[in-house]
Structure formats: C-alpha cells, structure tokens
Amino acid sequence: MTLIARIARSPGALAALAFVFVLWRIGIPSFWRDESVSVMAATMSFDELWKLLDKIDAVHALYYLLLRPFAAFDGELAARLPSALAVAGATFGIVAIGRRVATPQVGMFAGLVYAVLPMVSRYGQEARSYALVSAVAVAATWVLLGERRSRYLGYGLLIALLGWFHLYALLLVPAHAVTILLRKRSEIVPWLASMVGAGVLLVPLALIASGQRDEQLFWLKVPGLADLGTFGVELAGGPKAWDATSLPMLFLGLLLVLALLGTWWALRAGARSRTSAGTGAGTPPGTGPRAGADAVPGRSPSAGVDALPGAGPRTGVEVLPERGPSAGASGPAGTGPGGALLASVTLPWLILPVALSFAISQVYPIYNARYVFFVIPALALLAGAGLAAARRTPVGLAVFTALAVLSASAHLAIREPDARPDDLRTLAAVLSAEQRPGDAVLYVPVKYRLFVAVYGEPYGKLVEPGARSTRVWLVSPRLRGTTWEDDPRLKELKKEFRGGRTRAFGAVRLTLYTRSRISSNA
C-alpha cells in the first residue's frame, strides 16, 4: 500500500477532512432559537444559570458548561466549534470501528460517508449537543468492542456522559445489550455492572429532568409513520433542500441502497461464518476442502470464507462468540473479524433506538429526528461496507463520488443565511432599522426573550411596555387558538394598542403595535 493510500485510510486524516468540511460556511446560517438559548445560557453568570436550570433545560446543563469558554467569543463560529470538533471525533471513531469490525477500506468509506451526510453538517454547525452525543455514542461503541474486561469502567463512564449530554441517547444501551448477547455472552455480568454504575451517576439528572418535562418538551406529539419518513428528509438535508430539487431524494435512495448492500453482505458473511464454524471443526483455519470455497467473488482462494469487501488476502473462519484476545486481531493488512461482528454492532445500533423511541412515543412522546441522530454512524458503517463490496477501491470511490455530488445541493441549502428554523439575525437587523427611541418590547411567552436575545443589540435599546409607550414590538410564535392569546400581558396590550403587519422570521414573529388615537375609555 502506498503512503498516500495509508494516509487516506487513516482515522486522523479522515477526521481532519470532516472537520474542514463542516467548517465550510459554518458562520453563514443565522442562529435559531435553540442556539440562542445555548449561547445565552453559556454566557450567563453562574447564579443566573442555576436559576434557569432550576426551571428548564437541566438536561443540557453539562453542554452549557462545556460551551462557556467558546461562547465567551462572539459569533457563530465560536459557539458552533464544539459541534464541529465532535463531528471530527465521531468520524475518527467510525473509521476505527470500521477497521476493527471489518477492514480498513470499510472504515475509510464509512468515514467518508459520515462526513458528506447533510444531516451531519447540519448538526455539526449547530450550537447544541447533538453532534457531541453522536461522538460519545461512537466512543462508547468503540470501547465496548475491546477485549479487556477492565474496559467496562471506562464504558460505564461514557454511557453516563452520553446520558448527561442527552437522556434520550440512552436508547443506545439496549442496542449495546443485543451486541453483547450476540458477541460475548460471558461478559453480560460486567456489562450490567457498568450499567448500574452509569445509572447511579445519572439518577440526579433523571430526577430533575422528570420534573421539567412538561415545560421542556410540551411541543412533542405522538408520532405517526409519516414522522419516521421525515427522518429520511432530515438525513438528506431537510425540507428546504428537499423541496428545491430532486437531488436529495436521489442521494437518499443511493445511500439506502448502499446501506442495504452492506447489510446484506454482513448478514450473508455472518451466516457463512457460523455454518463454516459448525462444519469445519477440527480443520485448521484456512485449510481443508472449504478453504476459499465461499470466498467473495473475484478473490483468490486464500481470501478465506469470510473475506470482507475491501480486505486483503486472509485466511480463517471467524466465530463471533467468545473471541479471544488474538481472535480477529488486525494483521498486517489491518483486516478485522468479519461480517458477523459488523452486523451485530451496526444493525441494533441503527434500528433499536429509533424503533424504541417511536414505540415509547405512542404513550409518552419523546421521538424527534434529532434525538436519534446518534444512530447515523451505524448507517455510515453499513453504507461503507456497501461501497467496499465493489471489491475494487476505484469503483467504490466512483460510487462515493456520485453520492457526494448528489449531496451538493443539500449542503449548499443548509449553509444559507436563513437555513435554520429561525432567522434571528435578519429579525434583529429589521428591528434595529425600524425601532425608535422609547419603543418597548413584549415577549409572548416570556421565554422568547431567551429565544431571540443572542443578537442582543436592538433588544437592549427597547424598554418594558408602560403608560407612556406609544409603540410596542411583539416578539412571539404564531399566535393561534388560545395557546398564547390568553396571556394577560397580550390582552392588556390589545386594549390600548392596534397591531400592524406581522412578519415571520422562521417560527418567530415580529409585530409592531401602536397606541390607538382614541382611548378605549372614550
């Protein structure tokens, strides 16, 4: 293998590539309301932050603390930098996992796929915790695949960290339970012990969060099958990119084909591995009549029964359960243990968290596409195996290039100034241009102050509504039904003031109310 090829397949090189790509135009999209809360919380005094967390957002406390040194610098780049770094870290881990459970080629392609997924760029350019959650999920999976039992101490700490970043990410735990049962049942006891330790560390957060759920996630509804479909839309760049051109649809189609191809290969290779293990007892690995009989088409007989796509010459039949320290260890070519392990790691990771989130949400809504973002690395690993199934690197690179080209329109769309759910930067610019001395501002509900204050200059010039106010700017969501219309402050405003044109900046509305010339008491 040439030096360039070794560098191209190295986790560090691909992580650097992913980092550079996610930095591209990272400061162009406006902050939206969730990011505004993140930045405001990260720049509050500790007393103010404690008061906020006592009412809402305790589940994000660790992230807000981590963000503080970055948020001390103004601008979108600084606040979003932790997420960009997390994308690089996740890419590194994905490549490493691919090398461990499959081959260097699978790892390389998996890292490339992860880096070009529009949804990864979307959350890698957001001042929220989702990219970090994904990175920790990758790290926990990597540690789980180790051989030393002492690793379960670190694994338990990573699971606790995962929960402290986002409680719903703990849906990864059942997926890991399945992997342990399929891979090494003798380690179920130390795994359970690590889960008990993680649970103890998570008890304080769970108790606080349970009391804030109604305030935190009141907007979540019982999802239907159509909501599962929106996950694919988000994966391919979101509604704006989806509506603008058919390329995201083609991108998603090719991605799913590659993931299905990788799944098919992994399951097929795993089945052959078990069959060969059962019929070849007492036959030295790589010898006997079956050696090379079931090799991947186009490979030499020495490739072995379970040669993974993209693997170099190898021999031996891999038996998934009870791998010893040397079983499946990387050799000179860096080959891993085979398709059975790839399937046992990726399929539970990809399927179970989404399925459990959807099922639980039928009674207790918790499902949202971004809350299961941490399953995307598993999809990238399967798609990477699908690309490596071409058996020739140039063919795989050609297909990957097609995938990258199909993602281009989505990447451009998510990097536009108004690409986020709210365009708070334009809202602040309009308010700054049109406000007058003495103007007042009313936030309905009150928490909308946090939602917009990240661009704080125009809001700092506005005062509270009072008897002398003649103009009041209303910052609110779309007012419909009785959800916000019953707010007593809004009712009082409408008694003396007349509303003008409402302008929408995503989900945030701006309306100028002017005092009526004729008093309501006349």
Side-chain angles (χ1 to χ4, degrees):
M1 183 186 297
T2 66
L3 177 61
I4 294 177
R6 289 182 182 275
I7 293 174
R9 292 186 179 189
S10 70
L14 290 167
L17 179 65
F19 181 62
V20 170
F21 185 58
V22 82
L23 284 180
W24 174 48
R25 293 174 64 89
I26 193 173
I28 299 300
S30 166
F31 281 130
W32 70 293
R33 58 186 179 277
D34 281 15
E35 290 184 289
S36 177
V37 175
S38 293
V39 175
M40 296 306 295
T43 53
M44 290 177 177
S45 68
F46 283 107
D47 286 343
E48 291 174 322
L49 179 60
W50 180 255
K51 292 177 182 177
L52 173 69
L53 298 178
D54 189 47
K55 298 178 181 178
I56 194 173
D57 269 4
V59 291
H60 299 300
L62 180 61
Y63 175 71
Y64 293 157
L65 291 174
L66 181 149
L67 188 61
R68 289 185 76 87
F70 297 90
F73 300 92
D74 291 334
E76 290 83 1
L77 171 61
R80 292 167 174 166
L81 189 56
S83 294
L85 291 169
V87 167
T91 303
F92 185 99
I94 289 166
V95 177
I97 290 173
R99 293 167 67 95
R100 172 166 284 186
V101 303
T103 70
Q105 191 177 22
V106 170
M108 176 189 73
F109 280 127
L112 288 172
V113 169
Y114 189 76
V116 301
L117 290 176
M119 192 177 187
V120 171
S121 282
R122 162 72 169 81
Y123 290 106
Q125 295 187 341
E126 179 155 313
R128 297 296 281 179
S129 65
Y130 308 114
L132 282 82
V133 169
S134 184
V136 175
V138 169
T141 303
W142 165 257
V143 173
L144 182 70
L145 295 174
E147 293 297 338
R148 297 180 180 179
R149 291 203 174 194
S150 59
R151 73 187 187 278
Y152 282 109
L153 175 61
Y155 173 76
L157 292 174
L158 283 170
I159 292 297
L161 181 64
L162 185 71
W164 272 93
F165 273 132
H166 206 285
L167 279 174
Y168 295 162
L170 294 175
L171 291 173
L172 178 67
V173 171
H176 280 179
V178 172
T179 298
I180 284 290
L181 290 172
L182 292 174
R183 178 176 178 262
K184 191 176 285 190
R185 295 184 183 181
S186 63
E187 293 194 356
I188 191 67
V189 172
W191 180 82
L192 287 172
S194 70
M195 291 301 92
V196 171
V200 170
L201 295 176
L202 287 166
V203 165
L205 178 64
L207 291 175
I208 296 172
S210 63
Q212 294 183 351
R213 195 219 179 250
D214 290 342
E215 179 70 18
Q216 186 86 34
L217 298 173
F218 66 92
W219 53 273
L220 284 176
K221 309 299 180 185
V222 175
L225 292 178
D227 294 292
L228 286 179
T230 61
F231 187 83
V233 175
E234 292 291 336
L235 187 62
K240 290 183 179 179
W242 193 270
D243 294 340
T245 174
S246 61
L247 290 181
M249 184 184 302
L250 296 175
F251 167 84
L252 182 62
L254 179 56
L255 177 67
L256 293 180
V257 167
L258 291 171
L260 288 172
L261 179 60
T263 301
W264 170 81
W265 189 90
L267 293 174
R268 179 172 174 266
R272 286 183 170 184
S273 175
R274 289 188 293 272
T275 301
S276 300
T279 59
T283 304
T287 65
R290 290 189 57 82
D294 291 326
V296 175
R299 305 200 65 80
S300 64
S302 65
V305 174
D306 248 356
L308 229 72
R314 58 184 297 190
T315 62
V317 177
E318 291 84 357
V319 181
L320 186 60
E322 304 297 341
R323 287 171 59 246
S326 63
S330 296
T335 55
L341 184 52
L342 175 66
S344 70
V345 171
T346 56
L347 292 179
W349 185 359
L350 176 62
I351 296 171
L352 272 182
V354 178
L356 290 173
S357 178
F358 185 79
I360 293 169
S361 294
Q362 303 308 306
V363 179
Y364 188 86
I366 63 171
Y367 175 79
N368 186 277
R370 62 180 179 266
Y371 294 166
V372 290
F373 175 67
F374 61 89
V375 308
I376 300 302
L379 179 65
L381 283 162
L382 288 171
L387 285 166
R391 297 194 297 273
R392 294 182 181 275
T393 299
V395 176
L397 287 174
V399 178
F400 169 75
T401 300
L403 186 73
V405 169
L406 291 175
S407 73
S409 64
H411 281 291
L412 291 172
I414 63 176
R415 288 167 166 83
E416 290 297 318
D418 61 347
R420 300 299 182 259
D422 311 306
D423 186 0
L424 301 183
R425 186 192 294 132
T426 300
L427 166 62
V430 169
L431 188 57
S432 180
E434 298 185 10
Q435 65 183 199
R436 300 175 185 174
D439 281 3
V441 61
L442 180 66
Y443 303 97
V444 176
V446 174
K447 62 186 176 185
Y448 259 61
R449 181 182 180 279
L450 276 178
F451 285 1
V452 300
V454 66
Y455 299 108
E457 181 182 359
Y459 303 99
K461 299 176 182 178
L462 301 173
V463 299
E464 292 285 333
R468 295 186 178 183
S469 298
T470 58
R471 291 167 29 114
V472 177
W473 294 95
L474 175 67
V475 179
S476 70
R478 181 181 178 185
L479 298 174
R480 54 183 175 181
T482 59
T483 305
W484 309 121
E485 291 284 0
D486 290 338
D487 188 299
R489 298 171 304 132
L490 182 58
K491 287 184 175 180
E492 187 66 27
L493 177 69
K494 290 185 175 181
K495 288 180 181 179
E496 299 287 339
F497 292 79
R498 179 180 302 163
R501 179 168 64 97
T502 296
R503 284 170 284 186
F505 301 87
V508 181
R509 267 56 175 176
L510 180 67
T511 307
L512 176 61
Y513 278 78
T514 55
R515 187 177 292 276
S516 303
R517 292 185 178 182
I518 302 176
S519 172
S520 59
N521 295 323

